[in-house]
Amino acid sequence: MNVIEVMPLRYMPGNVSLPKGGYAVGIYMSYRNVTPVIAIIAFLNSSASSVANTIINQYRNYSIMYKTFRDSGYMELRTGNLVLQMWYRGKWIVEVATQAGYDEAILEFKSMMSQFKG
């Protein structure tokens, strides 16, 4: 996985506002120098569940598979040539998207994220 660009974000995808004091970064990467991977990592000052549920509600129109829980959850969207996964726990939200058929890119990103504690 090669990181190409990192940028601060003021909003989550879908123009979902971050609560005051929250911040997010967008990371544009390439997997095996071919497949584009976009990740968004947000850290909030309060529980991430309300922001995550707002994002999930926006995607419900795409007939997705999703699971939500009070303090943590997971969502997956597969449409056309896009795979999007979002998971949240505590004060963190992570979204990662890539091309359909490259699920191993998402697994590699998750493996990278597991190296960070907190």
Side-chain angles (χ1 to χ4, degrees):
M1 190 82 69
N2 295 317
V3 174
I4 297 170
E5 185 176 356
V6 178
M7 67 186 90
L9 302 174
R10 297 178 67 188
Y11 300 94
M12 296 297 286
N15 212 25
V16 175
S17 296
L18 295 168
K20 186 175 182 176
Y23 60 91
V25 294
I27 307 167
Y28 180 70
M29 299 170 281
S30 68
Y31 178 69
R32 296 186 179 169
N33 295 324
V34 178
T35 307
V37 177
I38 299 170
I40 296 168
I41 304 170
F43 179 76
L44 312 176
N45 284 335
S46 58
S47 173
S49 63
S50 65
V51 173
N53 284 319
T54 300
I55 294 167
I56 288 168
N57 286 333
Q58 287 187 349
Y59 286 118
R60 285 183 198 242
N61 294 332
Y62 295 97
S63 72
I64 61 168
M65 303 287 293
Y66 63 89
K67 297 178 182 176
T68 58
F69 306 95
R70 183 172 172 200
D71 296 319
S72 64
Y74 170 81
M75 176 194 79
E76 180 175 301
L77 166 67
R78 290 178 181 270
T79 180
N81 197 32
L82 174 71
V83 177
L84 170 72
Q85 290 186 9
M86 178 184 75
W87 58 97
Y88 66 94
R89 182 179 181 107
K91 297 179 179 184
W92 291 90
I93 298 175
V94 177
E95 287 188 71
V96 62
T98 192
Q99 295 176 23
Y102 288 92
D103 292 27
E104 68 269 14
I106 293 175
L107 293 174
E108 183 167 325
F109 181 78
K110 284 182 180 180
S111 175
M112 288 171 34
M113 288 295 298
S114 71
Q115 303 301 312
F116 298 97
K117 305 292 182 198

